[in-house]
Amino acid sequence: MIDLRQLREHPDSFLERLNLRGDYSAPIQQILTLDQQQRQIEVERSQLQARSNEIGKLVGQQIKSAGKDDPAVQALRDEGNQIKAKLSELEPAEKVIKAQLEALALTIPNLPDPATPVGKNEDENVEIKRWGDEYLPSNPDVLPHWEIGERLGILNFERSAKIAQSRFVTLIGAGAALERALIQFMLDRQTAAGYTEISPPFLVNSASLTASGQLPKFAEESFKCDKDDLWLLPTAEVAINSLHRDEILEADSLPLHYCAYTPCFRREAGSYGRDTRGLIRLHQFDKVEMFKFVRPETSEQEHESLLQNAEAILQALHLPYRVITLCTGDLGFSAIKTYDLEVWMPSQAKYREISSCSNCGDFQSRRGNVRFKQAGKKGTQFLHTLNGSGLAVGRTMAAILENYQQPDGSVLLPKALQPYLGRERL
RNA sequence: GGAGAGGUGGCUGAGUGGUCGAAAGCGGCAGAUUGCUAAUCUGUUGUACGGUUUAGGUCGUACCGAGGGUUCGAAUCCCUCCCUCUCCGCCA
């Protein structure tokens, strides 16, 4: 949620930064108008209520001293009724405006951080690092991971479509074990890095999705269970973000670092043509997520260490990757700054996203009303939230199947993973 | 799914129509005092929004699970929903 007070006080600089994402002039103007109307009504309303409260007390006193049939009592009652009549017009009007204001404000994305490069779309993202050139595979005839996977008999798409739909996979034998091993491996690493593991509900309510930013704007992206106001979790970020919703945390308890393995469910609406084969873009995939609740002044630094924690997995698996900083035009809705990790996919001769590490500033904590309080100090502050994949399991599996593919059609397993599977190759 | 009980401030817990934002205790904070790793005493102690102020501040409104209703006036009465607990049923 944007900071309405900040917008009200510095509308020009606010809009200038926001417009680095696209043109939001119209809704912002509307928000400013609604905000002004709302406050105007609020002033009038609270004055009336003050008088009404006063009358309420006076009636009580008058009845005690002069009896309930005293003419003064009737006069006060009349005045009270008049106020009630006025309030019955003001209150609904204010509610409507407030609802419009909130609905609109919820569709405004977060302001990009000054450190986020300015750009229109993904073509203007900035590469900041490459790692693992020495691990680039030398095998020139690498098969795409879905082909090698089906040859090895460890994954099957056709039968998955029979069970569910296209864009689902069934893992078989060593494939299923590999997935489980990767989850275990990643959780082991991230918990060793200080993240507290949680296992949240895989169904979440609308409030949780709104808090993290998926609703109201991206309702089409998630699967909904209509009867229950529950949605299939699109990412563990949603669940962990709501773990402390409507709470006031002790400053001393921060930072809180969590990680979680969950499946993630996404409708992938509007991406019908892309990545139709393989493990890259499925309706259901596994992910180990990292999430931090931190004090505002530390979030930049926490963002860097979050990135390192994600990188550590790729490094441990000896998978070549690069790090890019998303530009303002490609930045996600809730983020102020995002690093993407892209792993090398030999069959496509391209780097493909395998982790996204974002600093969301106080955007999600405003939406979820998560604050912290310094003991002994007055007032509360919104904290900052950060999230990052550590990592997407399906894409990691795809990267392994391609980068570790041998000329004889077998797939070597990364050394770090071998103990988890009790074997050296697939 | 059926029956019952209940949701009050950081916690425990009183409060069933009128100075209740809410007693009391605990905890927290500040001070006093006692020569002993603590006791005692005193004071203080929620959040949000808005008006006003250079600021400290000050004033107002709202909040006793959520949303409606009755009333001059609701934590208190009525309705709907959500959640928790106990028992029964069902079930991994």
Side-chain angles (χ1 to χ4, degrees):
Chain A
M1 178 66 101
I2 52 168
D3 182 352
L4 275 181
R5 202 177 299 169
Q6 187 194 350
L7 170 60
R8 192 189 297 151
E9 284 167 9
H10 311 285
D12 294 337
S13 62
F14 189 100
L15 194 55
E16 194 183 324
R17 270 217 282 159
L18 185 60
N19 279 354
L20 295 172
R21 287 176 174 272
D23 187 6
Y24 284 88
S25 311
I28 288 296
Q29 193 44 250
Q30 231 179 319
I31 286 173
L32 284 167
T33 306
L34 287 167
D35 177 57
Q36 202 182 356
Q37 289 174 350
Q38 188 270 320
R39 277 180 303 142
Q40 201 177 326
I41 295 180
E42 182 174 342
V43 169
E44 196 180 341
R45 194 211 67 220
S46 64
Q47 281 169 355
L48 284 171
Q49 277 173 336
R51 177 59 185 160
S52 173
N53 289 343
E54 201 181 346
I55 290 171
K57 284 174 187 169
L58 288 174
V59 170
Q61 288 170 1
Q62 195 66 20
I63 288 174
K64 246 180 209 167
S65 61
K68 62 178 179 222
D69 297 325
D70 187 71
V73 170
Q74 194 50 49
L76 286 167
R77 280 194 177 147
D78 289 344
E79 192 186 345
N81 274 324
Q82 281 168 23
I83 290 175
K84 216 203 301 195
K86 277 188 209 157
L87 282 174
S88 68
E89 290 171 18
L90 284 181
E91 278 174 350
E94 191 184 358
K95 263 184 200 169
V96 168
I97 289 173
K98 264 194 161 160
Q100 287 175 342
L101 180 61
E102 199 194 327
L104 202 51
L106 284 172
T107 67
I108 307 297
N110 204 352
L111 297 182
D113 189 84
T116 290
V118 175
K120 284 193 183 60
N121 53 44
E122 71 261 21
D123 298 332
E124 297 184 62
N125 293 339
V126 178
E127 179 179 313
I128 57 172
K129 176 181 181 180
R130 279 189 193 215
W131 184 92
D133 281 357
E134 67 270 33
Y135 299 113
L136 286 170
S138 48
N139 182 1
D141 305 312
V142 169
L143 293 173
H145 64 273
W146 58 87
E147 272 190 46
I148 193 77
E150 293 200 326
R151 277 194 199 188
L152 291 170
I154 60 172
L155 46 82
N156 187 296
F157 290 100
E158 253 178 61
R159 288 177 176 138
S160 306
K162 188 165 57 177
I163 299 170
Q165 255 186 24
S166 63
R167 287 199 193 284
F168 283 90
V169 71
T170 301
L171 301 170
I172 302 153
L178 175 58
E179 175 181 61
R180 183 157 46 83
L182 279 168
I183 292 165
Q184 180 80 25
F185 171 71
M186 291 175 188
L187 283 173
D188 284 352
R189 292 282 172 146
Q190 302 307 2
T191 52
Y195 293 84
T196 302
E197 181 182 350
I198 70 164
S199 179
F202 297 163
L203 298 186
V204 295
N205 58 34
S206 296
S208 296
L209 280 164
T210 304
S212 48
Q214 276 75 13
L215 288 179
K217 227 178 171 178
F218 308 102
E220 292 305 306
E221 287 297 321
S222 292
F223 290 102
K224 184 169 192 199
C225 311
D226 255 318
K227 283 186 178 170
D228 303 293
D229 182 37
L230 286 170
W231 306 66
L232 273 66
L233 189 73
T235 159
E237 171 197 348
V238 174
I240 307 178
N241 181 57
S242 278
L243 188 63
H244 295 295
R245 184 143 47 80
D246 293 318
E247 289 183 27
I248 299 175
L249 304 171
E250 280 294 334
D252 291 342
S253 70
L254 300 174
L256 293 171
H257 292 182
Y258 292 107
C259 66
Y261 150 73
T262 71
C264 303
F265 302 92
R266 300 188 182 176
R267 296 190 62 237
E268 295 296 346
S271 65
Y272 296 114
R274 288 186 304 187
D275 305 313
T276 48
R277 309 196 65 182
L279 298 166
I280 299 296
R281 194 174 301 278
L282 298 176
H283 288 308
Q284 175 187 331
F285 63 95
D286 286 321
K287 181 157 62 69
V288 168
E289 182 80 352
M290 303 173 285
F291 196 100
K292 295 178 169 185
F293 295 93
V294 309
R295 301 170 61 133
E297 65 271 19
T298 65
S299 72
E300 217 173 300
Q301 179 189 331
E302 293 274 11
H303 192 198
E304 299 300 321
S305 64
L306 181 76
L307 174 64
Q308 282 170 19
N309 295 140
E311 287 186 61
I313 303 294
L314 288 169
Q315 291 177 4
L317 296 174
H318 293 175
L319 289 169
Y321 68 91
R322 64 172 188 166
V323 183
I324 59 173
T325 307
L326 298 191
C327 72
T328 52
D330 199 28
L331 196 60
F333 183 77
S334 299
I336 66 172
K337 189 180 171 193
T338 296
Y339 295 119
D340 272 7
L341 292 184
E342 298 184 335
V343 71
W344 180 252
M345 293 299 283
S347 75
Q348 303 178 15
K350 260 192 209 164
Y351 286 100
R352 296 298 312 261
E353 179 186 338
I354 194 165
S355 169
S356 192
C357 298
S358 297
N359 184 354
C360 293
D362 64 7
F363 190 79
Q364 292 181 322
S365 67
R366 274 179 197 286
R367 288 178 160 241
N369 193 29
V370 192
R371 293 164 291 165
F372 72 95
K373 185 179 171 63
Q374 184 82 55
K377 276 194 185 169
K378 253 196 125 163
T380 59
Q381 258 189 89
F382 291 108
L383 39 74
H384 282 194
T385 58
L386 303 99
N387 67 81
S389 349
L391 306 163
V393 175
R395 290 184 180 185
T396 305
M397 201 174 342
I400 290 171
L401 289 177
E402 296 197 4
N403 283 282
Y404 280 84
Q405 211 176 110
Q406 303 301 304
D408 66 0
S410 70
V411 172
L412 211 58
L413 284 167
K415 278 230 161 53
L417 221 47
Q418 288 176 7
Y420 285 84
L421 278 145
R423 59 200 288 180
E424 287 179 6
R425 65 176 68 226
L426 300 173

